[in-house]
Every structure is written in C-alpha cells, then in structure tokens.
Amino acid sequence: GSNAHKLLLSRCRRVLNKYLSAHESPITRSTALRSNMPVQAANKVLQALNEASAPIDSKTLSLVMESYLSCRDADSALKAYEDCVGLNACASEAVADRTRFPKIKPEASIKDLSICTSLLKAHAARGDFVSGGRVLTAMEGKSGQFSIFVDSVPAADWTHDDIPIGSDVVCYNIVLDAACRSGNVDAALTLFDSMCSMNDGTVAPNMVTYNTLMGAFAREGRVSDVYTLFYEAKQRGLVADKITYTTLIKAACQQGDEQKGLDLLNEMVKVGIQPDVVTFNTVIEALCGSGKWYMAKGLTADMERRRVEANAVTYNLLMSGLLQADKAAATLTLFEVALADRSTASLAETVELYTTAIAASAKLADYDRTMDLYSRMVDAKLEPNIKTLTAIISSCVSSENYSASIPFIEAIKSEGTDRISLKAAIRAYCATDNTPLAWELLSEDRAGHKQLTGKDARQAFDTMLESSLRSGDYDLAKGLIEEMILVHNFIPAKWTYKAILRGLGLSRPEDRNVKYTLKKESDPSSSSAEKFDYLLHVLDIMLRRNLAVDISFYSTILFEATKLGGNARRVGSLMPKAKTYTSETRDEMINMKLTWSALIRQNLDFRKVDPDQILLPKLVLRTNSKSTKGATRRMYAAEQSVYLRNKRIKEEVEDKKNIMT
C-alpha cells in the first residue's frame, strides 16, 4: 500500500496496543476499573479504514480481534474477521456477513496463524468447539473435508497458492478447552486422540493439553481419570506445573479427601512449585465445606508465611465456612476485622463479602445490623445482587420486620427470584396481609421454573391459608385450598390442618392426658357460621379427591357444630353416621354427588325428616397406628357432644307407653 496507508495502519496499531496494555495492567486486571476502551478503540480503527475504503494487514487485524476478545466481545471479533478477510468466520463456504464495515477492502491473503488463533479464541469464547474444529480443518488445507467432530458442514478452502496456513498445539488446545468447558468431554477426548496420533509431532500434547483434560475430568468427579492422565503426562516426559497440582488437589478435595489435598500441597512445595492463592483457596474451600474451619484458618496462616496474599475469594470462603458452622457472630467479626485492616480493606469491600455478612446478621435476626451493612454497602458504591437482596429479606423476616422487607421483595422480583428469596417473600407478604401477592408469586413459580420444591410449595400454601383465614378472607382461603388439592394435587399434611385451625382461631394446646369435653375446647365466642362453612368446604374438597380426613380435624368440626347449635349441630350429628356408612360400605345410604356445604343449605328439620333415612356424603377418616390415644378419645368426645336424639322417635316411644298403661 501507499505510505499514507502504512502510516494509518501504524497509528492504528499504536492506539490498539496502548488500550490493550492499559486494560491488562496489574492495576485494572482485578478491579472494577476495567472498561470497554479496547472495544471502542477497535471500533474507531475499523471505522477509519471503512471511511478510507482501505484494506487491513494481518498485524492490525490480529490486534483488533484481541481488543474485542479482551472485553469478552467474541461476536464483534468474528464480524471483524469477516469484514476484513471476506471469508465466513465458521470456515464454511457460506457468504461472509460484511454489513458492519462494508467499505473495508477485504484481503483473504492476510489470514495467518496469528489471526486464525484469535478466530479460534472467539469461537471458544462462544463455546462453539464445532466451528473451532472446522477452522482447524481449513487451516490445515483440508478443504471439502469434515472436522473430527460430528459436523455436517465441510471446511472451506483457506489455502493461499495451495499453501495451507498450518496449525500448532496452541490452536488445538484452544479448541480442546472449548469442548471441555461446554461439557462435551467425549469430543475433547476425540481431539486429544487425534493430537496423539499425528506423526509429525507439530501438535503433540503438552502440559497445557493434559491440564485442560484433567480439569474437565475433575469437574465431572472422575478422579481416577485425572490421575491416569497425570501419570501418562509424566511418562511422556512432561513436567507438572502449578495448574497440574491445583487440578490434582481439586480432584482429591471433590472426592472428600482433604488430607490428600494437603499432602499434594506439601508435595508441590517440595518439588519447587510455589502454590498461588487459587491453590490455597481450593483446599480452604474443601476444609470449610467439611466443617474443618480451624484447619482452614491454619492454612491461611501458612499462606502468610509463604507470602501468598489472600484475595476476596479467600475471605468469602472463610466467612461462608463460619456461617455454615453456625458461627454467625464470628463471621461478622472476621468481616469487620478485614475491613478495619488497611491491607485487607479493599479485599473485604466486595458484594460477595457484604452478602455473607448480611446473611450472618439474618441468622442472628439482627435487623439493625443488616440495615447498617446494607447502608455501608451502598456508600461503598456496591450494587446488591440477588443473593444480597435475599439475605436482607431473610433478615427482615427472621426479625419479624415484615413491612421493611417489601421494598426489597419488589426489587428482587424485577431481577428474578431464587428458592430462598421466594420462600421469604411469600412469608413476608402473608405477614403483611398481602396474601394475594404471595399467591401470585407461588402461581408464577409453579407455572414457570418451579424453583420451589414440592415441600416448599405445600408450606407456602399452609402459610397463605393461615394468613387469609386470620384476615377473614374466606373466599381467598377457599380458592387456595382448591388450588392446593385439586390443581397441584397436594395431600394436606397435619401442618396444613394446624395452619387452617390457627387461622380460624380454633387451635388448642397439645395435651395427650386431657379429658376431652366440650368445656375443654376453645371459647364458643370464637365460633361463627363462616368458619364452620369453611370447614365444610375443606371436607368437600377432600371428598372430591377421595382423600381421608385427619381425625383431629374431624373432631374440631364436630365440636364447632355443637357450639354453633341449630342447623350446624344437626349436620354435625350426621357426620358420625356418614363415617359409619362409608366404613361399612352401605352404599345405599351414600349420595356421591352430595356435598356437606349443600347439605347444610337444606336447613334440615329432624322433626319432619328421619335422620336415619337421609342420604349422606361420603366421609373417610385417616386413622393409623400413629394416631394417638388422645386424638381418638377426643373424637369420641366430639361425636358424643354433637349427638342428637330424634324427637319424632321420642314421641313414638311416649305414645306406646301411654297405650300400655
């Protein structure tokens, strides 16, 4: 090209190198100071070349692609390749998409090993190891052939004057890592076998290759395969490095053998390899996970002796270990000590550590401490994540500051709830008489991701039932019991019955030795027709599912019928009969279409209707070996209290006596 063109490319490379160097400097590498400046610089370079309708050389394009990749913008790197080279980035015969910078003059001849290596990195960043394999095939001049992976698209012709670009072990390792990170270890092994079978030795597996495969096996818990690869690498004459030993330690710790991990750490030091913070954190995580917090603390002291600086992950692991060991107060102490120390204050001011500290305050039900931590977190310009908000909500709920949790619940709903936050939100909504909102949350979860387990959902229904009944919203409570039993097919447990009775104000203290009489039950003033109507509705819902009714719940219904008197008592007096008819399979006395709610609306008059001739709904009680003697005695007392002698029968007996005299 002309001197002006060469000068333009030279300036472009200078700008790109400047921002890449600043982006990867020690100051910005591990802090929030990293920005997308390399991306903006790359965009400016391509825009300048587009306006000049000029081509690009291989060095500049390689820097452009690396600039995008440094900010994890793999898509832009792939588009830059297609704009500047004019070939499909997936190494197929498909037409390249050159709509972004169409005026750049494409030069297919500029693609070299450096550019193709960046191209492979871009595919790996997207987890597309299949396209990476096709690019490798094209680089080796195997046009029209398929890659070693399962692929129906043949590779394009990327040769120049019949000379292939060629590949090296770095290229193969990039694709191998992409396959491993995507979870396809079988594809990675296929590529590994092809590397071992090449006779020219240009892509012979090195220690990076083995480390990559060992890491994949360690993540899958295939410990024996990890050691097999390790010994195979030693047989090849390869020297283990820091990553190798860290992977071995991780495999041992995942198997639950923390002592083996510590032994490997010592062996690593003996062979002259200095462990880094990642290695120590791997062992610390395993020790904290198994409750060996004091051993983990001793390992941090060993880090200091070896002049290995702890990072935020180290403190988070230690704090999480303390919290897991139910040492919430010690967790907060460690956090405050780390913040007070100038050398560790910057490490402690992270979202993760503040979140763990807030979770500790939640365990202590210390609402004031939680809000203080949250305020300090905001002052430090740290953005709370879902786990942080969940911990705050849990703290509000555990300290019974339910109304204070509502703003955080609303904030987390826009971000997306998880299991813990969802449980806490439902409980908080119910405690603040917002049961419909709790029901809405639960319905969305059951219809979508189902983050709540079946047990969680049933407990949520119990909480909502109690809340709605306490507030006197019987229509809402009826809808809840219907959805619980008929829609989600939950079978009410004893906790469900207890929640219903607590909500209705009919619960009683547990006492197995009490002699059950009507006087021992709750105050008659707590009874009402609405409450009794709801109890009958629950019976009807159970009947529709052919479910047995809890014996204590049945007894409570009878006692309530006795206290209400009138029509309620008449209906209650029929329930023992229905129980007997059902147990003796006297089907002629059972009306399967009739409900208890419909029966009470008939306003029965036993002076006109013989109760022994009334067809009744089915009624099955749940009695088993676990039923206490007290529950059985209470049932007999309830049936005795609700019993009514037929007045018409009384009159007939009196008439017979008069005739005889």
Side-chain angles (χ1 to χ4, degrees):
S2 64
N3 290 333
H5 179 233
K6 291 179 181 179
L7 181 60
L8 174 62
L9 292 177
S10 176
R11 288 177 177 174
C12 290
R13 287 194 294 271
R14 196 181 307 120
V15 170
L16 291 169
N17 277 318
K18 173 185 175 182
Y19 286 108
L20 271 174
S21 299
H23 190 71
E24 297 298 331
S25 69
I27 298 176
T28 60
R29 190 176 300 153
S30 59
T31 67
L33 296 176
R34 299 187 71 160
S35 65
N36 65 340
M37 288 302 294
V39 170
Q40 296 180 31
N43 288 338
K44 290 290 185 181
V45 166
L46 293 179
Q47 187 177 353
L49 293 171
N50 186 63
E51 291 174 356
S53 300
I56 195 172
D57 62 358
S58 59
K59 291 182 181 179
T60 310
L61 178 56
S62 180
L63 283 172
V64 166
M65 295 178 70
E66 288 297 324
S67 297
Y68 286 124
L69 292 172
S70 68
C71 297
R72 300 179 182 178
D73 190 354
D75 291 336
S76 293
L78 294 174
K79 290 177 181 178
Y81 176 86
E82 295 194 350
D83 280 326
C84 298
V85 178
L87 298 175
N88 187 279
C90 295
S92 69
E93 295 291 353
V95 178
D97 180 12
R98 300 189 63 251
T99 56
R100 192 179 181 200
F101 297 105
K103 293 182 180 181
I104 294 178
K105 186 178 179 181
E107 283 287 349
S109 60
I110 66 170
K111 60 185 184 302
D112 57 10
L113 186 59
S114 176
I115 290 175
C116 289
T117 301
S118 298
L119 186 61
L120 289 171
K121 289 180 183 178
H123 285 303
R126 300 176 72 248
D128 187 2
F129 66 91
V130 175
S131 293
R134 196 183 309 119
V135 169
L136 277 178
T137 305
M139 290 170 64
E140 293 171 351
K142 301 175 183 177
S143 61
Q145 298 184 29
F146 298 97
S147 72
I148 59 173
F149 303 124
V150 179
D151 187 12
S152 59
V153 181
D157 184 5
W158 277 13
T159 60
H160 181 64
D161 295 335
D162 294 330
I163 300 175
I165 300 168
S167 60
D168 59 11
V169 68
V170 175
C171 296
Y172 272 82
N173 285 343
I174 292 171
V175 180
L176 185 77
D177 183 61
C180 290
R181 291 187 181 279
S182 65
N184 199 325
V185 180
D186 291 336
L189 284 172
T190 302
L191 184 62
F192 176 75
D193 291 339
S194 71
M195 294 173 68
C196 295
S197 63
M198 291 185 183
N199 298 324
D200 56 6
T202 55
V203 292
N206 58 13
M207 203 64 235
V208 175
T209 313
Y210 280 97
N211 287 342
T212 303
L213 268 180
M214 288 167 62
F217 284 136
R219 285 191 292 271
E220 292 193 350
R222 296 166 61 173
V223 179
S224 60
D225 290 330
V226 173
Y227 282 97
T228 299
L229 283 173
F230 174 65
Y231 294 128
E232 183 182 320
K234 291 182 72 174
Q235 288 177 352
R236 283 179 171 266
L238 300 175
V239 180
D241 57 16
K242 182 166 50 182
I243 297 175
T244 310
Y245 274 99
T246 301
T247 305
L248 291 172
I249 290 170
K250 182 177 181 180
C253 292
Q254 282 184 340
Q255 205 176 27
D257 193 349
E258 296 87 10
Q259 187 57 50
K260 178 67 173 177
L262 289 169
D263 292 342
L264 285 167
L265 184 62
N266 293 328
E267 179 185 329
M268 182 179 181
V269 175
K270 285 181 181 179
V271 297
I273 301 174
Q274 175 68 12
D276 61 6
V277 66
V278 176
T279 312
F280 277 104
N281 284 346
T282 303
V283 184
I284 290 172
E285 181 179 13
L287 292 172
C288 289
S290 60
K292 299 174 182 177
W293 189 84
Y294 288 103
M295 291 181 66
K297 185 180 178 182
L299 202 57
T300 58
D302 190 31
M303 288 176 66
E304 292 182 9
R305 286 195 299 269
R306 299 185 186 280
R307 297 182 180 180
V308 178
E309 292 186 2
N311 58 13
V313 175
T314 312
Y315 279 98
N316 194 33
L317 289 172
L318 292 171
M319 289 174 62
S320 298
L322 280 171
L323 192 59
Q324 194 174 6
D326 289 329
K327 299 180 183 295
T331 304
L332 290 169
T333 301
L334 177 60
F335 177 69
E336 297 297 351
V337 168
L339 275 180
D341 191 338
R342 289 185 178 181
S343 62
T344 58
S346 60
L347 298 176
E349 284 197 332
T350 65
V351 175
E352 291 75 19
L353 293 188
Y354 267 104
T355 300
T356 306
I358 290 172
S361 65
K363 273 201 169 185
L364 296 172
D366 191 342
Y367 170 76
D368 293 334
R369 186 71 172 272
T370 296
M371 299 314 296
D372 175 62
L373 288 167
Y374 173 67
S375 177
R376 288 157 59 186
M377 185 179 181
V378 173
D379 291 341
K381 298 182 180 179
L382 296 173
E383 188 70 26
N385 57 24
I386 293 177
K387 289 184 177 180
T388 314
L389 295 173
T390 300
I392 295 172
I393 294 169
S394 299
S395 179
C396 294
V397 170
S398 62
S399 60
E400 298 185 358
N401 285 282
Y402 300 107
S403 58
S405 68
I406 300 301
F408 298 103
I409 293 173
E410 296 301 323
I412 205 173
K413 281 168 67 176
S414 61
E415 297 291 334
T417 55
D418 58 8
R419 175 175 172 263
I420 298 174
S421 62
L422 200 55
K423 288 172 62 178
I426 289 172
R427 186 178 167 190
Y429 273 140
C430 290
T432 54
D433 292 331
N434 286 307
T435 310
L437 292 177
W439 191 3
E440 182 182 334
L441 274 180
L442 180 61
S443 299
E444 289 175 356
D445 178 72
R446 302 309 292 172
H449 299 296
K450 292 189 177 180
Q451 297 179 84
L452 295 180
T453 63
K455 182 180 179 181
D456 293 335
R458 188 165 62 184
Q459 289 176 345
F461 272 112
D462 293 348
T463 304
M464 292 188 294
L465 282 169
E466 182 176 352
S467 172
S468 58
L469 290 171
R470 281 188 190 278
S471 61
D473 194 340
Y474 296 102
D475 290 335
L476 178 62
K478 287 180 180 180
L480 284 167
I481 197 68
E482 288 173 7
E483 181 167 322
M484 178 184 179
I485 298 176
L486 301 180
V487 178
H488 297 296
N489 297 319
F490 287 124
I491 298 176
K494 65 177 181 179
W495 309 113
T496 307
Y497 293 114
K498 287 184 177 181
I500 291 173
L501 297 180
R502 282 197 304 270
L504 292 171
L506 303 177
S507 59
R508 55 180 184 77
E510 294 291 336
D511 187 352
R512 295 186 178 184
N513 299 317
V514 70
K515 183 177 179 181
Y516 290 104
T517 64
L518 184 59
K519 293 181 180 180
K520 293 290 183 181
E521 297 303 313
S522 56
D523 186 359
S525 63
S526 66
S527 303
S528 71
E530 285 183 314
K531 293 180 180 180
F532 189 70
D533 178 62
Y534 183 77
L535 294 173
L536 294 183
H537 182 75
V538 175
L539 270 187
D540 293 335
I541 297 301
M542 300 286 286
L543 175 64
R544 286 175 63 179
R545 278 280 312 277
N546 290 320
L547 297 175
V549 180
D550 179 73
I551 186 172
S552 296
F553 189 72
Y554 164 74
S555 301
T556 300
I557 294 176
L558 297 186
F559 277 124
E560 288 307 300
T562 305
K563 286 183 284 186
L564 284 172
N567 191 34
R569 182 170 183 178
R570 288 192 290 273
V571 171
S573 69
L574 297 174
M575 288 185 179
K577 295 179 183 291
K579 182 191 74 171
T580 303
Y581 295 157
T582 304
S583 63
E584 296 177 355
T585 61
R586 294 174 60 182
D587 297 338
E588 71 278 4
M589 300 304 298
I590 298 295
N591 184 350
M592 299 299 293
K593 295 183 179 179
L594 184 63
T595 64
W596 291 103
S597 297
L599 186 63
I600 198 171
R601 287 195 294 269
Q602 294 180 11
N603 200 16
L604 300 171
D605 186 350
F606 288 174
R607 292 172 298 181
K608 299 178 181 179
V609 182
D610 185 355
D612 293 332
Q613 302 301 318
I614 299 175
L615 298 182
L616 301 175
K618 186 177 180 181
L619 182 59
V620 181
L621 294 189
R622 185 173 65 200
T623 55
N624 50 44
S625 58
K626 293 183 179 180
S627 298
T628 63
K629 292 182 180 179
T632 305
R633 289 199 301 268
R634 183 170 181 262
M635 180 191 71
Y636 290 146
E639 290 181 339
Q640 186 178 5
S641 72
V642 83
Y643 176 74
L644 284 175
R645 188 176 180 87
N646 193 331
K647 291 184 178 181
R648 188 162 58 84
I649 295 176
K650 278 186 178 181
E651 292 172 358
E652 290 177 358
V653 171
E654 291 296 329
D655 290 341
K656 287 181 180 179
K657 285 183 178 179
N658 292 333
I659 292 172
M660 291 177 66
T661 55

